[in-house]
Amino acid sequence: MLNYFPKIYDYELFYSIYSRLKQDINVQSNQSFKEIVFKRPNEYIEIFYINEPSDVLRSFISKNYIINDLYYNHTMFFYWSVFLNESDKENALRKLISNDKSFLEYLSPRPKHKHQKIFLKYCPLCAKENREQYHETYWNAFHQIPEINVCVIHGCKLKDSSVHVNNSRIINFLTAENCINDDYSYDMGTIGEIKAAKYLYQLVVRKQSLKNSITMFDVFYRKLIQKKYINQLSWLQHKSVFLDNFKQYLSDNNINEACQIKAMSSIFLNKANPLRTIHILLFLDIQISDIFVCKTAKQIDSELIERIRSEYTKDNGINKLAKQYHILPCNVSKIINGQYEVEKQKLISQNYAHSSSRNIPPKGKRYSELDKKYYPKIEYYIDLYFKDSDKVRRLTVGGFNAFMQQICQDIRRNDFYYMPQCYKYIKTKEKPIEDYWVDKIKYIVDQIDSNYISYSELKGTVHIIEKNMIKAMDILQYRYPETYLKIQKNNKKA
């Protein structure tokens, strides 16, 4: 019977609590101790979260502690759930407490450390202060965040201990007091690292969540408009400007390449790396207090529409309003004529800013219902898929799914792979990749003003590798000889 539990310190990892408990009750064998505290004693020791507690331990902690606070503050849940909305965070925490592994599907993915040795980390100043206050130190959860290398309190660089972590698991129970020496020398982190770490700390200790209707895109939206990275209502994204400026921000603050983003769309994902999201919040100069009171993009757009309608006069015409609010004149005209409804627009937030629950694989019943809903209209949507682009397009399940995500709110990533009738129909319409190459080449050649195009210029335009280009040219010669000759003649001329 377990009748003792050590005092729990602020944001102390469960692993640290277990290690001190093992030492305090003087159990020498790791296996014997696991049998006391774990339901499955043969498991490795989990670092970031918690092994399922034994019935004895669960009974003890449920009587003496608030379970939700214990799991939230003493695992890495507080970090990987920091940008979840209220309902998703509540669901994920409930699953974590009940040991349902699907809680991970709600959270930001863990970083992968291939071929890299990872150790438990500590802050020398925290260790010193803990020993002065508690006469011992402990493993702090904030120090184990993989992407953060500075202390969230002191801003000094974290040091590696001798305790090796293998894929977030560990073999022995080792207390921080026995593993951390009394060398308290330290180096300070960069300004950018310190700023991001302190921002995270303030976010976590507030213990607030996004409102259920809010996504990270909504949080970014107003600032993206103000800084002219997005044109409101027209959804024109100035991607290159955003990416260049963000890259410069990282460089100015000496932040490593891990926080770089290759596509503007990746900043709107709720399941993106939390540290990267924090750097974007800092880059856009968004205060923590603004995160939890922001309006949705639709609300912001609706307010703009009402403002334009109220300000429209003969003296304040369409072109003047369009220039004032940086939106297209045609959209101003639609707004004034009552033809523009924000709910019907393809919001960029529908493309990118899905709540994290969109990433959870749904059950079979949902797929069946979607299949029944979309299969009767599948030909209409396929026609729409091709009409939506003025370039050569190849029908694939993945490409069609991405297109449908933009126009249908109930479609999630990879849904059409699990909708049997729709999937089968799309596969029957799917062109061989060789035919797509040929059509792409023909399209490019037909678009040129001159009668000829060089082979090298063509290859650079269609972005097809050499071995595939050779295959495509063989088919082109047989199928479209006139197009083929335009390329060949120019080569002879050259």
mmCIF file with all atom_site columns, all heavy atoms in Angstrom, residues 440-454 457-458 461-462 482-483 485-487 490:
data_model
loop_
_atom_site.group_PDB
_atom_site.id
_atom_site.type_symbol
_atom_site.label_atom_id
_atom_site.label_alt_id
_atom_site.label_comp_id
_atom_site.label_asym_id
_atom_site.label_entity_id
_atom_site.label_seq_id
_atom_site.pdbx_PDB_ins_code
_atom_site.Cartn_x
_atom_site.Cartn_y
_atom_site.Cartn_z
_atom_site.occupancy
_atom_site.B_iso_or_equiv
_atom_site.pdbx_formal_charge
_atom_site.auth_seq_id
_atom_site.auth_comp_id
_atom_site.auth_asym_id
_atom_site.auth_atom_id
_atom_site.pdbx_PDB_model_num
ATOM 1   N N   . LYS A 1 440 ? 1.368  18.578 -70.633 1.00 0.00 ? 440 LYS A N   1
ATOM 2   C CA  . LYS A 1 440 ? 2.029  19.745 -70.063 1.00 0.00 ? 440 LYS A CA  1
ATOM 3   C C   . LYS A 1 440 ? 2.986  20.366 -71.090 1.00 0.00 ? 440 LYS A C   1
ATOM 4   O O   . LYS A 1 440 ? 3.030  21.590 -71.275 1.00 0.00 ? 440 LYS A O   1
ATOM 5   C CB  . LYS A 1 440 ? 2.791  19.320 -68.805 1.00 0.00 ? 440 LYS A CB  1
ATOM 6   C CG  . LYS A 1 440 ? 3.178  20.459 -67.882 1.00 0.00 ? 440 LYS A CG  1
ATOM 7   C CD  . LYS A 1 440 ? 3.779  19.893 -66.606 1.00 0.00 ? 440 LYS A CD  1
ATOM 8   C CE  . LYS A 1 440 ? 4.199  21.015 -65.666 1.00 0.00 ? 440 LYS A CE  1
ATOM 9   N NZ  . LYS A 1 440 ? 4.853  20.496 -64.452 1.00 0.00 ? 440 LYS A NZ  1
ATOM 10  N N   . ILE A 1 441 ? 3.747  19.513 -71.767 1.00 0.00 ? 441 ILE A N   1
ATOM 11  C CA  . ILE A 1 441 ? 4.685  19.992 -72.790 1.00 0.00 ? 441 ILE A CA  1
ATOM 12  C C   . ILE A 1 441 ? 3.928  20.661 -73.939 1.00 0.00 ? 441 ILE A C   1
ATOM 13  O O   . ILE A 1 441 ? 4.282  21.746 -74.391 1.00 0.00 ? 441 ILE A O   1
ATOM 14  C CB  . ILE A 1 441 ? 5.553  18.820 -73.320 1.00 0.00 ? 441 ILE A CB  1
ATOM 15  C CG1 . ILE A 1 441 ? 6.514  18.334 -72.221 1.00 0.00 ? 441 ILE A CG1 1
ATOM 16  C CG2 . ILE A 1 441 ? 6.333  19.237 -74.565 1.00 0.00 ? 441 ILE A CG2 1
ATOM 17  C CD1 . ILE A 1 441 ? 7.210  17.038 -72.529 1.00 0.00 ? 441 ILE A CD1 1
ATOM 18  N N   . LYS A 1 442 ? 2.859  20.002 -74.379 1.00 0.00 ? 442 LYS A N   1
ATOM 19  C CA  . LYS A 1 442 ? 2.062  20.552 -75.497 1.00 0.00 ? 442 LYS A CA  1
ATOM 20  C C   . LYS A 1 442 ? 1.486  21.915 -75.123 1.00 0.00 ? 442 LYS A C   1
ATOM 21  O O   . LYS A 1 442 ? 1.486  22.854 -75.921 1.00 0.00 ? 442 LYS A O   1
ATOM 22  C CB  . LYS A 1 442 ? 0.942  19.592 -75.867 1.00 0.00 ? 442 LYS A CB  1
ATOM 23  C CG  . LYS A 1 442 ? 0.141  20.050 -77.099 1.00 0.00 ? 442 LYS A CG  1
ATOM 24  C CD  . LYS A 1 442 ? -0.927 19.038 -77.478 1.00 0.00 ? 442 LYS A CD  1
ATOM 25  C CE  . LYS A 1 442 ? -1.617 19.433 -78.778 1.00 0.00 ? 442 LYS A CE  1
ATOM 26  N NZ  . LYS A 1 442 ? -2.229 20.775 -78.740 1.00 0.00 ? 442 LYS A NZ  1
ATOM 27  N N   . TYR A 1 443 ? 1.003  22.028 -73.904 1.00 0.00 ? 443 TYR A N   1
ATOM 28  C CA  . TYR A 1 443 ? 0.416  23.293 -73.437 1.00 0.00 ? 443 TYR A CA  1
ATOM 29  C C   . TYR A 1 443 ? 1.456  24.422 -73.484 1.00 0.00 ? 443 TYR A C   1
ATOM 30  O O   . TYR A 1 443 ? 1.176  25.517 -73.968 1.00 0.00 ? 443 TYR A O   1
ATOM 31  C CB  . TYR A 1 443 ? -0.125 23.118 -72.022 1.00 0.00 ? 443 TYR A CB  1
ATOM 32  C CG  . TYR A 1 443 ? -0.608 24.404 -71.385 1.00 0.00 ? 443 TYR A CG  1
ATOM 33  C CD1 . TYR A 1 443 ? -1.855 24.926 -71.690 1.00 0.00 ? 443 TYR A CD1 1
ATOM 34  C CD2 . TYR A 1 443 ? 0.203  25.098 -70.481 1.00 0.00 ? 443 TYR A CD2 1
ATOM 35  C CE1 . TYR A 1 443 ? -2.291 26.112 -71.127 1.00 0.00 ? 443 TYR A CE1 1
ATOM 36  C CE2 . TYR A 1 443 ? -0.227 26.282 -69.908 1.00 0.00 ? 443 TYR A CE2 1
ATOM 37  C CZ  . TYR A 1 443 ? -1.476 26.791 -70.235 1.00 0.00 ? 443 TYR A CZ  1
ATOM 38  O OH  . TYR A 1 443 ? -1.902 27.966 -69.671 1.00 0.00 ? 443 TYR A OH  1
ATOM 39  N N   . ILE A 1 444 ? 2.659  24.128 -72.995 1.00 0.00 ? 444 ILE A N   1
ATOM 40  C CA  . ILE A 1 444 ? 3.723  25.151 -72.960 1.00 0.00 ? 444 ILE A CA  1
ATOM 41  C C   . ILE A 1 444 ? 4.129  25.559 -74.375 1.00 0.00 ? 444 ILE A C   1
ATOM 42  O O   . ILE A 1 444 ? 4.260  26.750 -74.688 1.00 0.00 ? 444 ILE A O   1
ATOM 43  C CB  . ILE A 1 444 ? 4.964  24.622 -72.187 1.00 0.00 ? 444 ILE A CB  1
ATOM 44  C CG1 . ILE A 1 444 ? 4.626  24.377 -70.716 1.00 0.00 ? 444 ILE A CG1 1
ATOM 45  C CG2 . ILE A 1 444 ? 6.140  25.583 -72.317 1.00 0.00 ? 444 ILE A CG2 1
ATOM 46  C CD1 . ILE A 1 444 ? 4.296  25.614 -69.926 1.00 0.00 ? 444 ILE A CD1 1
ATOM 47  N N   . VAL A 1 445 ? 4.308  24.561 -75.240 1.00 0.00 ? 445 VAL A N   1
ATOM 48  C CA  . VAL A 1 445 ? 4.746  24.853 -76.614 1.00 0.00 ? 445 VAL A CA  1
ATOM 49  C C   . VAL A 1 445 ? 3.681  25.657 -77.359 1.00 0.00 ? 445 VAL A C   1
ATOM 50  O O   . VAL A 1 445 ? 3.992  26.590 -78.108 1.00 0.00 ? 445 VAL A O   1
ATOM 51  C CB  . VAL A 1 445 ? 5.076  23.546 -77.366 1.00 0.00 ? 445 VAL A CB  1
ATOM 52  C CG1 . VAL A 1 445 ? 5.385  23.824 -78.844 1.00 0.00 ? 445 VAL A CG1 1
ATOM 53  C CG2 . VAL A 1 445 ? 6.262  22.842 -76.717 1.00 0.00 ? 445 VAL A CG2 1
ATOM 54  N N   . ASP A 1 446 ? 2.408  25.317 -77.148 1.00 0.00 ? 446 ASP A N   1
ATOM 55  C CA  . ASP A 1 446 ? 1.314  26.028 -77.828 1.00 0.00 ? 446 ASP A CA  1
ATOM 56  C C   . ASP A 1 446 ? 1.172  27.466 -77.344 1.00 0.00 ? 446 ASP A C   1
ATOM 57  O O   . ASP A 1 446 ? 0.601  28.310 -78.044 1.00 0.00 ? 446 ASP A O   1
ATOM 58  C CB  . ASP A 1 446 ? -0.015 25.293 -77.616 1.00 0.00 ? 446 ASP A CB  1
ATOM 59  C CG  . ASP A 1 446 ? -0.066 23.975 -78.387 1.00 0.00 ? 446 ASP A CG  1
ATOM 60  O OD1 . ASP A 1 446 ? 0.808  23.769 -79.251 1.00 0.00 ? 446 ASP A OD1 1
ATOM 61  O OD2 . ASP A 1 446 ? -0.960 23.147 -78.102 1.00 0.00 ? 446 ASP A OD2 1
ATOM 62  N N   . GLN A 1 447 ? 1.671  27.758 -76.155 1.00 0.00 ? 447 GLN A N   1
ATOM 63  C CA  . GLN A 1 447 ? 1.539  29.097 -75.582 1.00 0.00 ? 447 GLN A CA  1
ATOM 64  C C   . GLN A 1 447 ? 2.599  30.083 -76.090 1.00 0.00 ? 447 GLN A C   1
ATOM 65  O O   . GLN A 1 447 ? 2.402  31.294 -76.001 1.00 0.00 ? 447 GLN A O   1
ATOM 66  C CB  . GLN A 1 447 ? 1.637  29.029 -74.041 1.00 0.00 ? 447 GLN A CB  1
ATOM 67  C CG  . GLN A 1 447 ? 0.493  28.308 -73.360 1.00 0.00 ? 447 GLN A CG  1
ATOM 68  C CD  . GLN A 1 447 ? -0.834 29.027 -73.533 1.00 0.00 ? 447 GLN A CD  1
ATOM 69  O OE1 . GLN A 1 447 ? -0.939 30.223 -73.300 1.00 0.00 ? 447 GLN A OE1 1
ATOM 70  N NE2 . GLN A 1 447 ? -1.851 28.292 -73.961 1.00 0.00 ? 447 GLN A NE2 1
ATOM 71  N N   . ILE A 1 448 ? 3.693  29.577 -76.619 1.00 0.00 ? 448 ILE A N   1
ATOM 72  C CA  . ILE A 1 448 ? 4.791  30.481 -76.993 1.00 0.00 ? 448 ILE A CA  1
ATOM 73  C C   . ILE A 1 448 ? 4.427  31.293 -78.240 1.00 0.00 ? 448 ILE A C   1
ATOM 74  O O   . ILE A 1 448 ? 3.679  30.837 -79.097 1.00 0.00 ? 448 ILE A O   1
ATOM 75  C CB  . ILE A 1 448 ? 6.108  29.701 -77.240 1.00 0.00 ? 448 ILE A CB  1
ATOM 76  C CG1 . ILE A 1 448 ? 5.950  28.685 -78.384 1.00 0.00 ? 448 ILE A CG1 1
ATOM 77  C CG2 . ILE A 1 448 ? 6.579  29.026 -75.982 1.00 0.00 ? 448 ILE A CG2 1
ATOM 78  C CD1 . ILE A 1 448 ? 7.234  28.039 -78.806 1.00 0.00 ? 448 ILE A CD1 1
ATOM 79  N N   . ASP A 1 449 ? 4.972  32.509 -78.311 1.00 0.00 ? 449 ASP A N   1
ATOM 80  C CA  . ASP A 1 449 ? 4.679  33.400 -79.440 1.00 0.00 ? 449 ASP A CA  1
ATOM 81  C C   . ASP A 1 449 ? 5.439  32.984 -80.701 1.00 0.00 ? 449 ASP A C   1
ATOM 82  O O   . ASP A 1 449 ? 4.928  33.080 -81.804 1.00 0.00 ? 449 ASP A O   1
ATOM 83  C CB  . ASP A 1 449 ? 5.042  34.845 -79.082 1.00 0.00 ? 449 ASP A CB  1
ATOM 84  C CG  . ASP A 1 449 ? 4.173  35.371 -77.951 1.00 0.00 ? 449 ASP A CG  1
ATOM 85  O OD1 . ASP A 1 449 ? 3.012  34.916 -77.855 1.00 0.00 ? 449 ASP A OD1 1
ATOM 86  O OD2 . ASP A 1 449 ? 4.655  36.215 -77.170 1.00 0.00 ? 449 ASP A OD2 1
ATOM 87  N N   . SER A 1 450 ? 6.681  32.532 -80.517 1.00 0.00 ? 450 SER A N   1
ATOM 88  C CA  . SER A 1 450 ? 7.497  32.151 -81.674 1.00 0.00 ? 450 SER A CA  1
ATOM 89  C C   . SER A 1 450 ? 7.121  30.745 -82.141 1.00 0.00 ? 450 SER A C   1
ATOM 90  O O   . SER A 1 450 ? 6.371  30.032 -81.483 1.00 0.00 ? 450 SER A O   1
ATOM 91  C CB  . SER A 1 450 ? 8.980  32.202 -81.307 1.00 0.00 ? 450 SER A CB  1
ATOM 92  O OG  . SER A 1 450 ? 9.254  31.282 -80.273 1.00 0.00 ? 450 SER A OG  1
ATOM 93  N N   . ASN A 1 451 ? 7.687  30.363 -83.266 1.00 0.00 ? 451 ASN A N   1
ATOM 94  C CA  . ASN A 1 451 ? 7.388  29.040 -83.834 1.00 0.00 ? 451 ASN A CA  1
ATOM 95  C C   . ASN A 1 451 ? 8.234  27.936 -83.225 1.00 0.00 ? 451 ASN A C   1
ATOM 96  O O   . ASN A 1 451 ? 7.978  26.755 -83.458 1.00 0.00 ? 451 ASN A O   1
ATOM 97  C CB  . ASN A 1 451 ? 7.606  29.052 -85.347 1.00 0.00 ? 451 ASN A CB  1
ATOM 98  C CG  . ASN A 1 451 ? 6.607  29.956 -86.041 1.00 0.00 ? 451 ASN A CG  1
ATOM 99  O OD1 . ASN A 1 451 ? 5.466  30.058 -85.598 1.00 0.00 ? 451 ASN A OD1 1
ATOM 100 N ND2 . ASN A 1 451 ? 7.031  30.632 -87.099 1.00 0.00 ? 451 ASN A ND2 1
ATOM 101 N N   . TYR A 1 452 ? 9.268  28.321 -82.489 1.00 0.00 ? 452 TYR A N   1
ATOM 102 C CA  . TYR A 1 452 ? 10.196 27.319 -81.978 1.00 0.00 ? 452 TYR A CA  1
ATOM 103 C C   . TYR A 1 452 ? 10.516 27.576 -80.512 1.00 0.00 ? 452 TYR A C   1
ATOM 104 O O   . TYR A 1 452 ? 10.417 28.704 -80.027 1.00 0.00 ? 452 TYR A O   1
ATOM 105 C CB  . TYR A 1 452 ? 11.507 27.341 -82.779 1.00 0.00 ? 452 TYR A CB  1
ATOM 106 C CG  . TYR A 1 452 ? 11.302 27.300 -84.273 1.00 0.00 ? 452 TYR A CG  1
ATOM 107 C CD1 . TYR A 1 452 ? 11.601 28.418 -85.050 1.00 0.00 ? 452 TYR A CD1 1
ATOM 108 C CD2 . TYR A 1 452 ? 10.793 26.152 -84.883 1.00 0.00 ? 452 TYR A CD2 1
ATOM 109 C CE1 . TYR A 1 452 ? 11.406 28.388 -86.418 1.00 0.00 ? 452 TYR A CE1 1
ATOM 110 C CE2 . TYR A 1 452 ? 10.598 26.130 -86.253 1.00 0.00 ? 452 TYR A CE2 1
ATOM 111 C CZ  . TYR A 1 452 ? 10.889 27.243 -87.022 1.00 0.00 ? 452 TYR A CZ  1
ATOM 112 O OH  . TYR A 1 452 ? 10.681 27.217 -88.361 1.00 0.00 ? 452 TYR A OH  1
ATOM 113 N N   . ILE A 1 453 ? 10.927 26.509 -79.864 1.00 0.00 ? 453 ILE A N   1
ATOM 114 C CA  . ILE A 1 453 ? 11.415 26.600 -78.478 1.00 0.00 ? 453 ILE A CA  1
ATOM 115 C C   . ILE A 1 453 ? 12.530 25.584 -78.317 1.00 0.00 ? 453 ILE A C   1
ATOM 116 O O   . ILE A 1 453 ? 12.438 24.460 -78.816 1.00 0.00 ? 453 ILE A O   1
ATOM 117 C CB  . ILE A 1 453 ? 10.282 26.343 -77.445 1.00 0.00 ? 453 ILE A CB  1
ATOM 118 C CG1 . ILE A 1 453 ? 10.809 26.563 -76.025 1.00 0.00 ? 453 ILE A CG1 1
ATOM 119 C CG2 . ILE A 1 453 ? 9.658  24.974 -77.595 1.00 0.00 ? 453 ILE A CG2 1
ATOM 120 C CD1 . ILE A 1 453 ? 9.725  26.547 -74.945 1.00 0.00 ? 453 ILE A CD1 1
ATOM 121 N N   . SER A 1 454 ? 13.599 25.977 -77.651 1.00 0.00 ? 454 SER A N   1
ATOM 122 C CA  . SER A 1 454 ? 14.721 25.050 -77.478 1.00 0.00 ? 454 SER A CA  1
ATOM 123 C C   . SER A 1 454 ? 14.370 23.983 -76.445 1.00 0.00 ? 454 SER A C   1
ATOM 124 O O   . SER A 1 454 ? 13.553 24.211 -75.543 1.00 0.00 ? 454 SER A O   1
ATOM 125 C CB  . SER A 1 454 ? 15.972 25.805 -77.036 1.00 0.00 ? 454 SER A CB  1
ATOM 126 O OG  . SER A 1 454 ? 15.820 26.250 -75.709 1.00 0.00 ? 454 SER A OG  1
ATOM 127 N N   . GLU A 1 457 ? 15.255 25.054 -72.871 1.00 0.00 ? 457 GLU A N   1
ATOM 128 C CA  . GLU A 1 457 ? 14.322 26.060 -72.355 1.00 0.00 ? 457 GLU A CA  1
ATOM 129 C C   . GLU A 1 457 ? 12.994 25.406 -71.959 1.00 0.00 ? 457 GLU A C   1
ATOM 130 O O   . GLU A 1 457 ? 12.408 25.725 -70.934 1.00 0.00 ? 457 GLU A O   1
ATOM 131 C CB  . GLU A 1 457 ? 14.077 27.132 -73.427 1.00 0.00 ? 457 GLU A CB  1
ATOM 132 C CG  . GLU A 1 457 ? 13.199 28.290 -72.936 1.00 0.00 ? 457 GLU A CG  1
ATOM 133 C CD  . GLU A 1 457 ? 12.877 29.275 -74.040 1.00 0.00 ? 457 GLU A CD  1
ATOM 134 O OE1 . GLU A 1 457 ? 13.498 29.190 -75.131 1.00 0.00 ? 457 GLU A OE1 1
ATOM 135 O OE2 . GLU A 1 457 ? 11.989 30.113 -73.801 1.00 0.00 ? 457 GLU A OE2 1
ATOM 136 N N   . LEU A 1 458 ? 12.545 24.475 -72.810 1.00 0.00 ? 458 LEU A N   1
ATOM 137 C CA  . LEU A 1 458 ? 11.293 23.763 -72.530 1.00 0.00 ? 458 LEU A CA  1
ATOM 138 C C   . LEU A 1 458 ? 11.404 22.945 -71.251 1.00 0.00 ? 458 LEU A C   1
ATOM 139 O O   . LEU A 1 458 ? 10.515 22.972 -70.391 1.00 0.00 ? 458 LEU A O   1
ATOM 140 C CB  . LEU A 1 458 ? 10.951 22.855 -73.716 1.00 0.00 ? 458 LEU A CB  1
ATOM 141 C CG  . LEU A 1 458 ? 9.722  21.957 -73.542 1.00 0.00 ? 458 LEU A CG  1
ATOM 142 C CD1 . LEU A 1 458 ? 8.459  22.799 -73.442 1.00 0.00 ? 458 LEU A CD1 1
ATOM 143 C CD2 . LEU A 1 458 ? 9.610  20.962 -74.692 1.00 0.00 ? 458 LEU A CD2 1
ATOM 144 N N   . THR A 1 461 ? 11.096 24.971 -68.245 1.00 0.00 ? 461 THR A N   1
ATOM 145 C CA  . THR A 1 461 ? 9.751  25.522 -68.035 1.00 0.00 ? 461 THR A CA  1
ATOM 146 C C   . THR A 1 461 ? 8.791  24.481 -67.467 1.00 0.00 ? 461 THR A C   1
ATOM 147 O O   . THR A 1 461 ? 7.980  24.781 -66.594 1.00 0.00 ? 461 THR A O   1
ATOM 148 C CB  . THR A 1 461 ? 9.185  26.064 -69.365 1.00 0.00 ? 461 THR A CB  1
ATOM 149 O OG1 . THR A 1 461 ? 10.135 26.958 -69.941 1.00 0.00 ? 461 THR A OG1 1
ATOM 150 C CG2 . THR A 1 461 ? 7.871  26.801 -69.140 1.00 0.00 ? 461 THR A CG2 1
ATOM 151 N N   . VAL A 1 462 ? 8.867  23.243 -67.961 1.00 0.00 ? 462 VAL A N   1
ATOM 152 C CA  . VAL A 1 462 ? 7.899  22.210 -67.527 1.00 0.00 ? 462 VAL A CA  1
ATOM 153 C C   . VAL A 1 462 ? 8.329  21.515 -66.245 1.00 0.00 ? 462 VAL A C   1
ATOM 154 O O   . VAL A 1 462 ? 7.531  20.818 -65.620 1.00 0.00 ? 462 VAL A O   1
ATOM 155 C CB  . VAL A 1 462 ? 7.676  21.153 -68.639 1.00 0.00 ? 462 VAL A CB  1
ATOM 156 C CG1 . VAL A 1 462 ? 7.034  21.767 -69.850 1.00 0.00 ? 462 VAL A CG1 1
ATOM 157 C CG2 . VAL A 1 462 ? 8.979  20.446 -69.016 1.00 0.00 ? 462 VAL A CG2 1
ATOM 158 N N   . GLU A 1 482 ? 3.222  17.774 -84.873 1.00 0.00 ? 482 GLU A N   1
ATOM 159 C CA  . GLU A 1 482 ? 3.450  19.192 -85.168 1.00 0.00 ? 482 GLU A CA  1
ATOM 160 C C   . GLU A 1 482 ? 4.105  19.906 -83.979 1.00 0.00 ? 482 GLU A C   1
ATOM 161 O O   . GLU A 1 482 ? 5.012  20.720 -84.130 1.00 0.00 ? 482 GLU A O   1
ATOM 162 C CB  . GLU A 1 482 ? 2.114  19.873 -85.512 1.00 0.00 ? 482 GLU A CB  1
ATOM 163 C CG  . GLU A 1 482 ? 1.547  19.433 -86.846 1.00 0.00 ? 482 GLU A CG  1
ATOM 164 C CD  . GLU A 1 482 ? 0.247  20.161 -87.170 1.00 0.00 ? 482 GLU A CD  1
ATOM 165 O OE1 . GLU A 1 482 ? -0.122 21.079 -86.401 1.00 0.00 ? 482 GLU A OE1 1
ATOM 166 O OE2 . GLU A 1 482 ? -0.379 19.813 -88.180 1.00 0.00 ? 482 GLU A OE2 1
ATOM 167 N N   . THR A 1 483 ? 3.625  19.577 -82.789 1.00 0.00 ? 483 THR A N   1
ATOM 168 C CA  . THR A 1 483 ? 4.218  20.162 -81.583 1.00 0.00 ? 483 THR A CA  1
ATOM 169 C C   . THR A 1 483 ? 5.659  19.690 -81.425 1.00 0.00 ? 483 THR A C   1
ATOM 170 O O   . THR A 1 483 ? 6.561  20.470 -81.083 1.00 0.00 ? 483 THR A O   1
ATOM 171 C CB  . THR A 1 483 ? 3.401  19.749 -80.339 1.00 0.00 ? 483 THR A CB  1
ATOM 172 O OG1 . THR A 1 483 ? 2.044  20.169 -80.520 1.00 0.00 ? 483 THR A OG1 1
ATOM 173 C CG2 . THR A 1 483 ? 3.959  20.379 -79.074 1.00 0.00 ? 483 THR A CG2 1
ATOM 174 N N   . LEU A 1 485 ? 7.738  18.851 -83.754 1.00 0.00 ? 485 LEU A N   1
ATOM 175 C CA  . LEU A 1 485 ? 8.614  19.486 -84.746 1.00 0.00 ? 485 LEU A CA  1
ATOM 176 C C   . LEU A 1 485 ? 9.030  20.898 -84.322 1.00 0.00 ? 485 LEU A C   1
ATOM 177 O O   . LEU A 1 485 ? 10.104 21.372 -84.642 1.00 0.00 ? 485 LEU A O   1
ATOM 178 C CB  . LEU A 1 485 ? 7.918  19.540 -86.111 1.00 0.00 ? 485 LEU A CB  1
ATOM 179 C CG  . LEU A 1 485 ? 7.818  18.197 -86.851 1.00 0.00 ? 485 LEU A CG  1
ATOM 180 C CD1 . LEU A 1 485 ? 6.951  18.331 -88.083 1.00 0.00 ? 485 LEU A CD1 1
ATOM 181 C CD2 . LEU A 1 485 ? 9.216  17.698 -87.225 1.00 0.00 ? 485 LEU A CD2 1
ATOM 182 N N   . LYS A 1 486 ? 8.158  21.588 -83.596 1.00 0.00 ? 486 LYS A N   1
ATOM 183 C CA  . LYS A 1 486 ? 8.499  22.933 -83.121 1.00 0.00 ? 486 LYS A CA  1
ATOM 184 C C   . LYS A 1 486 ? 9.734  22.893 -82.223 1.00 0.00 ? 486 LYS A C   1
ATOM 185 O O   . LYS A 1 486 ? 10.543 23.807 -82.201 1.00 0.00 ? 486 LYS A O   1
ATOM 186 C CB  . LYS A 1 486 ? 7.337  23.530 -82.328 1.00 0.00 ? 486 LYS A CB  1
ATOM 187 C CG  . LYS A 1 486 ? 6.207  24.071 -83.179 1.00 0.00 ? 486 LYS A CG  1
ATOM 188 C CD  . LYS A 1 486 ? 5.188  24.783 -82.293 1.00 0.00 ? 486 LYS A CD  1
ATOM 189 C CE  . LYS A 1 486 ? 4.050  25.344 -83.122 1.00 0.00 ? 486 LYS A CE  1
ATOM 190 N NZ  . LYS A 1 486 ? 3.090  26.087 -82.272 1.00 0.00 ? 486 LYS A NZ  1
ATOM 191 N N   . ILE A 1 487 ? 9.846  21.809 -81.482 1.00 0.00 ? 487 ILE A N   1
ATOM 192 C CA  . ILE A 1 487 ? 10.989 21.668 -80.568 1.00 0.00 ? 487 ILE A CA  1
ATOM 193 C C   . ILE A 1 487 ? 12.210 21.197 -81.350 1.00 0.00 ? 487 ILE A C   1
ATOM 194 O O   . ILE A 1 487 ? 13.290 21.770 -81.245 1.00 0.00 ? 487 ILE A O   1
ATOM 195 C CB  . ILE A 1 487 ? 10.655 20.664 -79.439 1.00 0.00 ? 487 ILE A CB  1
ATOM 196 C CG1 . ILE A 1 487 ? 9.382  21.085 -78.715 1.00 0.00 ? 487 ILE A CG1 1
ATOM 197 C CG2 . ILE A 1 487 ? 11.802 20.556 -78.444 1.00 0.00 ? 487 ILE A CG2 1
ATOM 198 C CD1 . ILE A 1 487 ? 8.729  19.983 -77.898 1.00 0.00 ? 487 ILE A CD1 1
ATOM 199 N N   . ASN A 1 490 ? 13.958 23.839 -83.789 1.00 0.00 ? 490 ASN A N   1
ATOM 200 C CA  . ASN A 1 490 ? 14.740 24.849 -83.084 1.00 0.00 ? 490 ASN A CA  1
ATOM 201 C C   . ASN A 1 490 ? 16.087 24.300 -82.656 1.00 0.00 ? 490 ASN A C   1
ATOM 202 O O   . ASN A 1 490 ? 17.088 24.999 -82.684 1.00 0.00 ? 490 ASN A O   1
ATOM 203 C CB  . ASN A 1 490 ? 13.960 25.337 -81.859 1.00 0.00 ? 490 ASN A CB  1
ATOM 204 C CG  . ASN A 1 490 ? 14.515 26.645 -81.338 1.00 0.00 ? 490 ASN A CG  1
ATOM 205 O OD1 . ASN A 1 490 ? 14.975 27.474 -82.111 1.00 0.00 ? 490 ASN A OD1 1
ATOM 206 N ND2 . ASN A 1 490 ? 14.496 26.791 -80.027 1.00 0.00 ? 490 ASN A ND2 1
#
